[in-house]
Amino acid sequence: MVKSKIAIFFDRDGTLIKNFVSKKNKPISIKKIKDIKLLKDVKYVVNNLSEKYRIIVITNQPDVSRGKDTKKNVRLINNNLKEKIKIDNFFSSYSSVETNYLRKPNPGMIMLAKNKFNLSLKKCFVVGDTEKDIIAGNRAGCKTVLIKTKYNNNIKIEPDYKLQRLNELLNILNLKP
């Protein structure tokens, strides 16, 4: 079967897997494989979507450039996640510099995926839990989906869709069984 020219781009931490939240109510990426905990409905939703769409994870991992994590560790976590759910590809930005083209809110990771898989971005979706995810999706010309969390109530930019739970994405894409 030829894979679709349409992708669902997922943020990793806080969208697919549970992240930590700082005292300042900011999301923090996990650092250990043992901390990987799929969020509710993730396996069901992603595995259903993977039958029709490419599943691509785009993740900022700036702690690598800050010396608090390693590329090897990020790849180990990504590979472990790929064993749990059907993911076609990962794109990671290790930069902590906001102007870096690969780092969300910039669309660099999405554009790399577009070129690699010949994607039709106007038909693609970016699903995330932060304003940076939504801005990156908008800049790439994708539809955007915000998964509501306790730390993203003050987002100023309006996504195409706001969901309380990830399984609502199946309704948007008319894939609800």
Side-chain angles (χ1 to χ4, degrees), residues 4-31:
S4 175
K5 291 184 184 279
I6 303 171
I8 311 295
F9 292 96
F10 286 97
D11 172 57
R12 191 186 83 179
D13 302 281
T15 303
L16 296 176
I17 60 176
K18 186 173 175 52
N19 58 0
F20 298 108
V21 180
S22 73
K23 291 176 185 169
K24 295 180 181 179
N25 208 29
K26 300 280 185 198
I28 302 170
S29 297
I30 66 165
K31 303 285 187 290

Side-chain angles (χ1 to χ4, degrees), residues 24-112:
K24 295 180 181 179
N25 208 29
K26 300 280 185 198
I28 302 170
S29 297
I30 66 165
K31 303 285 187 290
K32 299 176 182 164
I33 287 178
K34 72 176 182 69
D35 291 330
I36 295 175
K37 294 188 179 30
L38 293 178
L39 289 168
K40 185 175 178 71
D41 298 324
V42 164
K43 188 171 193 159
Y44 175 76
V45 170
V46 170
N47 290 346
N48 269 292
L49 292 174
S50 71
E51 293 173 14
K52 188 171 179 181
Y53 303 102
R54 287 192 182 275
I55 304 299
I56 300 173
V57 176
I58 53 175
T59 180
N60 284 349
Q61 297 298 321
D63 282 349
V64 171
S65 68
R66 295 175 183 141
K68 297 177 182 177
D69 205 349
T70 64
K71 286 182 182 181
K72 181 180 179 184
N73 189 55
V74 170
R75 287 186 196 116
L76 285 172
I77 290 169
N78 289 348
N79 288 336
N80 188 278
L81 182 58
K82 195 172 183 177
E83 291 172 13
K84 297 177 187 312
I85 56 177
K86 296 178 182 178
I87 297 170
D88 291 299
N89 218 109
F90 280 89
F91 291 89
S92 300
S93 169
Y94 303 109
S95 178
S96 59
V97 178
E98 294 293 326
T99 55
N100 183 299
Y101 185 64
L102 293 179
R103 181 177 164 78
K104 293 180 287 182
N106 298 312
M109 291 184 280
I110 297 169
M111 299 314 276
L112 287 174

Side-chain angles (χ1 to χ4, degrees), residues 40-42 44-45 48-49 51-53 163 165-177:
K40 185 175 178 71
D41 298 324
V42 164
Y44 175 76
V45 170
N48 269 292
L49 292 174
E51 293 173 14
K52 188 171 179 181
Y53 303 102
L163 308 181
R165 294 184 43 205
L166 187 62
N167 68 355
E168 296 171 49
L169 184 59
L170 296 177
N171 292 332
I172 292 168
L173 298 168
N174 296 314
L175 292 176
K176 197 71 171 172

Side-chain angles (χ1 to χ4, degrees), residues 107-144:
M109 291 184 280
I110 297 169
M111 299 314 276
L112 287 174
K114 175 194 182 292
N115 294 336
K116 181 173 183 171
F117 298 113
N118 192 27
L119 299 173
S120 175
L121 292 182
K122 67 179 183 271
K123 296 179 181 176
C124 295
F125 287 77
V126 174
V127 182
D129 63 323
T130 68
E131 192 168 49
K132 287 182 180 189
D133 298 319
I134 304 309
I135 294 170
N138 286 341
R139 288 178 176 174
C142 300
K143 293 174 186 72
T144 56

